[in-house]
Structures are given as C-alpha cells and as structure tokens.
Amino acid sequence: MKKLKEFLDNIDTALMDDNKISQFERYYEMLIEKNKVMNLTAITDRNEVILKHFIDSVALLKYHKLSDERMIDVGTGAGFPGIPLKIICPGLKVTLFDSLNKRVGFLNEVIEELGLKGIEAVHGRAEEGGRDKNLREAYDIAVSRAVANMAVLSEYCLPFVKIGGWFIPYKSYDIEQELADGKKAVSVLGGKIDRVEKLEIEGNGRSFIFIKKERSTPKAYPRKAGTAKRQPIN
C-alpha cells in the first residue's frame, strides 16, 4: 500500500495510518477471494487494484475535503469509491447502493470484517431509490463510478442530493462532449455544473465533475426503470 500512502500523504499526512493500511490490505484480500466465485472486478493484480480502484477512489480528496457528511455511492459495485473514502474519512456517513443483491452481500461482509461504522449497503435500483422518501434529497454528496453517460447518471444520482449538496461523478479524462450532451439533463434535474477537476496518475486519466444541487429535482424524476437509458434528457 506504499503508493496509496504516498498519494494520500501528498494531500494530507494525517489521512493515512497503520490501521487504515491494514483495512485496505484486508479489503484487497476479500475482493480477490470473492472474485473467484462472482464477478466483482476485471482488475486483480495487486498494484493495479491499488492504482485503479483504491487510489482512484480516494483521489477525490485532492479536490474536496470530507468529514462527517452523508454520502451515497450509486452503483457502487465492489464498493468503489464508497469504501475507500469511508476508510480514509471514518466520520463520513455512507450508503453503498447497488442493484445486485450478491454484491450487497459482499459489501456487508467487508463492512463487518473491517469494523466500519456509519456505513450501510442497500439493495435497489437507483430509479426506485430516488423516489424513496427516506433517501430522496437526503444526502450532502452523491458519488458514482458507474458506467453511464452524464445525462443518464444525473437522473440516477441527482434525486438523492439535498439542495446545496453535490453530485460528483467519476468520469473519463476526455469528458467535454459528454458534458455538453448532459448539460440540459443536469439543469432539468436541479443541478449546475460548477467545475471539472482533471487528474492523471501513471497514465490513468480521471475527471471529477462537481455538480451543485441548486433546486429540488422535479417530482417526475427519476422516471421508471430503463427509461433514462432509452430516452435520456437532452
């Protein structure tokens, strides 16, 4: 975990300690072991996991400090970026949201094994979760590394964010066209693109799109499951 520690030390030397390193080590072991029986990640090489999952997940901290906010990770998969962010920022209150029950089971195993508090794994579709009165506009921050274009991902995520909060998708380095195509959807759903931060680590490019929630999301959104993909807002 040397690279991970070095990366975080460049942001703030207080972010990483021996206990957190141990948690990342155990998380890696559990990820690789479970990946033998279910598809969690195509990346299994230790150094690659550290770079493309762990460092990539916590890279957000370079641009946005986190402490005790309430965060939802939509389409979390194997727990990225939610679990790495929770390990580094233990005061963060995290909901890991995923549509596959098997993955949620794995996430609960990781949460228990790592002794993490103030984090839950929830099974459901984003289109349904965004209409749940306990989840809708209940979060300070929504993050997602899910593979969907900006228009679709915004419809999945912005309904969870409270007014004044942030939706921060993890996107590819070359994002300009996708941003232009998704601008209307962001606006319709109550958001405004504030800024884009770009980062490159060992040839791997990442963009963080900072979208401020300025207005309540209209009640019509999110639409029924599958609609956002078939008929994106544009």
PDB file of all heavy atoms in Angstrom, residues 35-49:
ATOM      1  N   ASN A  35     -13.879 -12.649  -5.735  1.00  0.00           N
ATOM      2  CA  ASN A  35     -13.881 -12.527  -7.197  1.00  0.00           C
ATOM      3  C   ASN A  35     -13.734 -13.884  -7.885  1.00  0.00           C
ATOM      4  O   ASN A  35     -14.051 -14.021  -9.062  1.00  0.00           O
ATOM      5  CB  ASN A  35     -12.765 -11.580  -7.642  1.00  0.00           C
ATOM      6  CG  ASN A  35     -13.038 -10.959  -9.001  1.00  0.00           C
ATOM      7  OD1 ASN A  35     -14.042 -10.291  -9.201  1.00  0.00           O
ATOM      8  ND2 ASN A  35     -12.141 -11.199  -9.942  1.00  0.00           N
ATOM      9  N   LYS A  36     -13.276 -14.880  -7.139  1.00  0.00           N
ATOM     10  CA  LYS A  36     -13.131 -16.233  -7.701  1.00  0.00           C
ATOM     11  C   LYS A  36     -14.487 -16.882  -7.944  1.00  0.00           C
ATOM     12  O   LYS A  36     -14.616 -17.762  -8.788  1.00  0.00           O
ATOM     13  CB  LYS A  36     -12.308 -17.115  -6.750  1.00  0.00           C
ATOM     14  CG  LYS A  36     -10.851 -16.695  -6.622  1.00  0.00           C
ATOM     15  CD  LYS A  36     -10.141 -17.538  -5.567  1.00  0.00           C
ATOM     16  CE  LYS A  36      -8.698 -17.077  -5.377  1.00  0.00           C
ATOM     17  NZ  LYS A  36      -8.036 -17.818  -4.266  1.00  0.00           N
ATOM     18  N   VAL A  37     -15.492 -16.446  -7.199  1.00  0.00           N
ATOM     19  CA  VAL A  37     -16.817 -17.068  -7.318  1.00  0.00           C
ATOM     20  C   VAL A  37     -17.890 -16.116  -7.866  1.00  0.00           C
ATOM     21  O   VAL A  37     -18.981 -16.548  -8.217  1.00  0.00           O
ATOM     22  CB  VAL A  37     -17.284 -17.653  -5.965  1.00  0.00           C
ATOM     23  CG1 VAL A  37     -16.396 -18.819  -5.569  1.00  0.00           C
ATOM     24  CG2 VAL A  37     -17.302 -16.585  -4.876  1.00  0.00           C
ATOM     25  N   MET A  38     -17.600 -14.819  -7.908  1.00  0.00           N
ATOM     26  CA  MET A  38     -18.539 -13.889  -8.524  1.00  0.00           C
ATOM     27  C   MET A  38     -17.780 -12.732  -9.153  1.00  0.00           C
ATOM     28  O   MET A  38     -16.678 -12.402  -8.726  1.00  0.00           O
ATOM     29  CB  MET A  38     -19.573 -13.375  -7.516  1.00  0.00           C
ATOM     30  CG  MET A  38     -19.025 -12.547  -6.392  1.00  0.00           C
ATOM     31  SD  MET A  38     -20.314 -11.955  -5.249  1.00  0.00           S
ATOM     32  CE  MET A  38     -21.107 -10.695  -6.247  1.00  0.00           C
ATOM     33  N   ASN A  39     -18.363 -12.164 -10.190  1.00  0.00           N
ATOM     34  CA  ASN A  39     -17.673 -11.127 -10.954  1.00  0.00           C
ATOM     35  C   ASN A  39     -17.769  -9.776 -10.251  1.00  0.00           C
ATOM     36  O   ASN A  39     -18.772  -9.084 -10.331  1.00  0.00           O
ATOM     37  CB  ASN A  39     -18.283 -11.038 -12.366  1.00  0.00           C
ATOM     38  CG  ASN A  39     -17.567 -10.016 -13.222  1.00  0.00           C
ATOM     39  OD1 ASN A  39     -16.386  -9.743 -13.026  1.00  0.00           O
ATOM     40  ND2 ASN A  39     -18.285  -9.440 -14.162  1.00  0.00           N
ATOM     41  N   LEU A  40     -16.674  -9.400  -9.561  1.00  0.00           N
ATOM     42  CA  LEU A  40     -16.618  -8.105  -8.882  1.00  0.00           C
ATOM     43  C   LEU A  40     -15.723  -7.120  -9.615  1.00  0.00           C
ATOM     44  O   LEU A  40     -16.000  -5.932  -9.658  1.00  0.00           O
ATOM     45  CB  LEU A  40     -16.105  -8.278  -7.447  1.00  0.00           C
ATOM     46  CG  LEU A  40     -17.050  -8.960  -6.458  1.00  0.00           C
ATOM     47  CD1 LEU A  40     -16.307  -9.302  -5.172  1.00  0.00           C
ATOM     48  CD2 LEU A  40     -18.258  -8.078  -6.171  1.00  0.00           C
ATOM     49  N   THR A  41     -14.623  -7.616 -10.174  1.00  0.00           N
ATOM     50  CA  THR A  41     -13.675  -6.746 -10.858  1.00  0.00           C
ATOM     51  C   THR A  41     -12.862  -7.528 -11.879  1.00  0.00           C
ATOM     52  O   THR A  41     -12.521  -8.692 -11.655  1.00  0.00           O
ATOM     53  CB  THR A  41     -12.706  -6.078  -9.859  1.00  0.00           C
ATOM     54  OG1 THR A  41     -11.739  -5.303 -10.577  1.00  0.00           O
ATOM     55  CG2 THR A  41     -11.983  -7.097  -8.987  1.00  0.00           C
ATOM     56  N   ALA A  42     -12.568  -6.871 -13.008  1.00  0.00           N
ATOM     57  CA  ALA A  42     -11.684  -7.472 -14.011  1.00  0.00           C
ATOM     58  C   ALA A  42     -10.230  -7.217 -13.648  1.00  0.00           C
ATOM     59  O   ALA A  42      -9.317  -7.812 -14.230  1.00  0.00           O
ATOM     60  CB  ALA A  42     -11.999  -6.893 -15.389  1.00  0.00           C
ATOM     61  N   ILE A  43     -10.000  -6.322 -12.701  1.00  0.00           N
ATOM     62  CA  ILE A  43      -8.649  -5.963 -12.266  1.00  0.00           C
ATOM     63  C   ILE A  43      -8.331  -6.730 -10.995  1.00  0.00           C
ATOM     64  O   ILE A  43      -9.001  -6.553  -9.965  1.00  0.00           O
ATOM     65  CB  ILE A  43      -8.555  -4.437 -11.988  1.00  0.00           C
ATOM     66  CG1 ILE A  43      -8.912  -3.647 -13.256  1.00  0.00           C
ATOM     67  CG2 ILE A  43      -7.174  -4.057 -11.489  1.00  0.00           C
ATOM     68  CD1 ILE A  43      -9.165  -2.168 -13.004  1.00  0.00           C
ATOM     69  N   THR A  44      -7.325  -7.595 -11.037  1.00  0.00           N
ATOM     70  CA  THR A  44      -6.989  -8.405  -9.872  1.00  0.00           C
ATOM     71  C   THR A  44      -5.533  -8.262  -9.429  1.00  0.00           C
ATOM     72  O   THR A  44      -5.213  -8.573  -8.281  1.00  0.00           O
ATOM     73  CB  THR A  44      -7.275  -9.896 -10.141  1.00  0.00           C
ATOM     74  OG1 THR A  44      -6.577 -10.299 -11.326  1.00  0.00           O
ATOM     75  CG2 THR A  44      -8.776 -10.142 -10.341  1.00  0.00           C
ATOM     76  N   ASP A  45      -4.649  -7.814 -10.328  1.00  0.00           N
ATOM     77  CA  ASP A  45      -3.254  -7.596  -9.949  1.00  0.00           C
ATOM     78  C   ASP A  45      -3.193  -6.587  -8.802  1.00  0.00           C
ATOM     79  O   ASP A  45      -3.839  -5.538  -8.847  1.00  0.00           O
ATOM     80  CB  ASP A  45      -2.466  -7.081 -11.156  1.00  0.00           C
ATOM     81  CG  ASP A  45      -1.035  -6.708 -10.801  1.00  0.00           C
ATOM     82  OD1 ASP A  45      -0.196  -7.621 -10.686  1.00  0.00           O
ATOM     83  OD2 ASP A  45      -0.774  -5.499 -10.609  1.00  0.00           O
ATOM     84  N   ARG A  46      -2.416  -6.915  -7.777  1.00  0.00           N
ATOM     85  CA  ARG A  46      -2.378  -6.078  -6.572  1.00  0.00           C
ATOM     86  C   ARG A  46      -2.068  -4.612  -6.872  1.00  0.00           C
ATOM     87  O   ARG A  46      -2.789  -3.706  -6.423  1.00  0.00           O
ATOM     88  CB  ARG A  46      -1.346  -6.656  -5.599  1.00  0.00           C
ATOM     89  CG  ARG A  46      -1.171  -5.851  -4.315  1.00  0.00           C
ATOM     90  CD  ARG A  46      -0.058  -6.456  -3.464  1.00  0.00           C
ATOM     91  NE  ARG A  46       0.353  -5.529  -2.425  1.00  0.00           N
ATOM     92  CZ  ARG A  46      -0.238  -5.374  -1.260  1.00  0.00           C
ATOM     93  NH1 ARG A  46      -1.308  -6.089  -0.980  1.00  0.00           N
ATOM     94  NH2 ARG A  46       0.217  -4.513  -0.363  1.00  0.00           N
ATOM     95  N   ASN A  47      -1.010  -4.363  -7.626  1.00  0.00           N
ATOM     96  CA  ASN A  47      -0.630  -2.980  -7.930  1.00  0.00           C
ATOM     97  C   ASN A  47      -1.701  -2.262  -8.743  1.00  0.00           C
ATOM     98  O   ASN A  47      -1.935  -1.060  -8.554  1.00  0.00           O
ATOM     99  CB  ASN A  47       0.709  -2.939  -8.678  1.00  0.00           C
ATOM    100  CG  ASN A  47       1.874  -3.316  -7.781  1.00  0.00           C
ATOM    101  OD1 ASN A  47       1.836  -3.085  -6.569  1.00  0.00           O
ATOM    102  ND2 ASN A  47       2.909  -3.901  -8.357  1.00  0.00           N
ATOM    103  N   GLU A  48      -2.343  -3.014  -9.640  1.00  0.00           N
ATOM    104  CA  GLU A  48      -3.406  -2.422 -10.453  1.00  0.00           C
ATOM    105  C   GLU A  48      -4.639  -2.075  -9.608  1.00  0.00           C
ATOM    106  O   GLU A  48      -5.276  -1.047  -9.806  1.00  0.00           O
ATOM    107  CB  GLU A  48      -3.798  -3.382 -11.587  1.00  0.00           C
ATOM    108  CG  GLU A  48      -2.731  -3.553 -12.646  1.00  0.00           C
ATOM    109  CD  GLU A  48      -2.665  -2.356 -13.582  1.00  0.00           C
ATOM    110  OE1 GLU A  48      -3.556  -2.223 -14.432  1.00  0.00           O
ATOM    111  OE2 GLU A  48      -1.723  -1.560 -13.443  1.00  0.00           O
ATOM    112  N   VAL A  49      -4.975  -2.957  -8.666  1.00  0.00           N
ATOM    113  CA  VAL A  49      -6.108  -2.691  -7.769  1.00  0.00           C
ATOM    114  C   VAL A  49      -5.826  -1.445  -6.939  1.00  0.00           C
ATOM    115  O   VAL A  49      -6.683  -0.568  -6.779  1.00  0.00           O
ATOM    116  CB  VAL A  49      -6.400  -3.903  -6.848  1.00  0.00           C
ATOM    117  CG1 VAL A  49      -7.389  -3.523  -5.752  1.00  0.00           C
ATOM    118  CG2 VAL A  49      -6.952  -5.064  -7.669  1.00  0.00           C
TER     119      VAL A  49
END
